[in-house]
Amino acid sequence: MTAFDPPSDAVVLAGGAARRLGGADKPGVRVGGRALLDRVLAACSGAATTVVVAEPRPTSRPVRWAREDPPGGGPLAALDAGLRHTTAEYVVVLSADLPFLDRETVRRLLTGLHGTGGEGVLLTDSGGRDQPLVAAYRRSALRRELAALRAEHGELTGLPLRRLIGALEVTRITDPVASFDCDTWDDIAVARARIREHGHVLDEWITAVKDELGLDLDVDTGLLLDLARDAAHGVARPAAPLTTFLVGYAAGRAEGGPEAVAEAARKAAALALRWAAEAEAEAGSESGPEAGPAGDARPDAG
């Protein structure tokens, strides 16, 4: 969490029936090798407390579990159950089917809420439709309006989310990518295809590996790719993966973060360039006169 991130909790709603997926376990459906729920949990990993409203299941990050009463009571009842386990003034509220949500979007929602002084900031999709489950809210405002709805209707079961959002002062941000949710198998297919596109596949893969290994570390992938290139071209092709492995190991031994990775990569890249320059000089001397430019005889000449 950076100095610009207001302290927050997160509530993830993951207990829907997924009727349009034929009743499949939607939070567990994999996109890019990761369950949809795990992808959302990675995006809100900066939260002090993360509450998932659903039946407990294995997840990539530790969470607190909650359940609406009765189960299947709808999003407002689920939100109310999740909020009971939160304490922060700012709460990120998310559905569990957002394959392209990332930490930067969550940060943007929170900083937007902090900056406006309003009661909520939510995303809208490409058609301008509100996505109230990709949003950040003031906890006090949610509790106030949920209590008012309960007083009016006797219970929250079955009430639509728009009854809550319509009573709040919210700011809207259009983001058709981060707000994309997977309601159908066609949506799942679109998400799986997009992450394999050339412009996305590397970032998606690195994010997936870090999540799988439990690494919360932002590194300069461009720097590591340059190192791999230098090692492959200047030394030998198998040197690329071995060198990047050793850089990571060295950074781990130093108990460092991104700076330690960058420093280890810088040293290894400089060595690869020196190695390549030496080989080029040797190749040039073998094809030219035995004496170097200063007239010194080669060590093996004579």
Side-chain angles (χ1 to χ4, degrees), residues 26-66:
K26 181 160 66 167
V29 171
R30 298 185 184 278
V31 173
R34 292 190 294 161
L36 284 170
L37 176 57
D38 284 338
R39 297 178 74 91
V40 172
L41 294 179
C44 62
S45 61
T49 298
T50 298
V51 184
V52 179
V53 185
E55 289 297 322
R57 66 171 66 220
T59 56
S60 60
R61 295 176 181 272
V63 300
R64 184 173 295 179
W65 297 95

Side-chain angles (χ1 to χ4, degrees), residues 281-301:
E282 185 70 13
S285 64
E286 288 177 353
S287 60
E290 291 192 345
D296 296 329
R298 290 177 54 201
D300 58 348

Side-chain angles (χ1 to χ4, degrees), residues 65-239:
W65 297 95
R67 201 68 170 113
E68 72 273 26
D69 185 18
L76 282 188
L79 176 58
D80 182 64
L83 282 177
R84 295 177 185 275
H85 297 274
T86 64
T87 57
E89 172 57 13
Y90 295 159
V91 179
V92 180
V93 178
L94 306 167
S95 61
D97 59 353
L98 302 165
F100 305 129
L101 185 70
D102 57 21
R103 296 178 192 177
E104 184 54 40
T105 301
V106 171
R107 180 177 294 120
R108 186 155 51 110
L109 291 169
L110 287 168
T111 54
L113 179 58
H114 181 70
T116 62
E119 296 177 325
V121 177
L122 58 81
L123 295 190
T124 60
D125 63 18
S126 57
R129 293 179 291 270
D130 285 352
Q131 299 296 318
L133 297 183
V134 199
Y137 301 100
R138 292 185 184 273
R139 181 177 181 273
S140 56
L142 292 178
R143 298 301 307 161
R144 181 193 72 223
E145 295 306 325
L146 287 170
L149 287 169
R150 184 182 288 106
E152 179 181 355
H153 298 278
E155 61 180 11
L156 299 174
T157 300
L159 294 180
L161 269 173
R162 65 176 180 273
R163 297 294 300 272
L164 174 70
I165 304 306
L168 298 175
E169 179 187 343
V170 299
T171 300
R172 293 167 172 82
I173 300 173
T174 299
D175 191 330
V177 175
S179 64
F180 180 86
D181 56 0
C182 293
D183 289 328
T184 68
W185 286 114
D186 285 344
D187 294 336
I188 297 293
V190 168
R192 287 172 171 170
R194 184 182 186 276
I195 67 169
R196 288 176 169 80
E197 293 175 359
H198 177 71
H200 306 287
V201 65
L202 184 59
D203 286 341
E204 285 285 347
W205 172 248
I206 295 300
T207 299
V209 171
K210 290 193 297 184
D211 196 51
E212 191 73 15
L213 298 179
L215 298 176
D216 188 10
L217 179 67
D218 291 326
V219 296
D220 187 341
T221 54
L223 181 70
L224 293 179
L225 287 174
D226 288 343
L227 167 61
R229 179 201 62 205
D230 292 340
H233 292 173
V235 183
R237 189 171 297 276

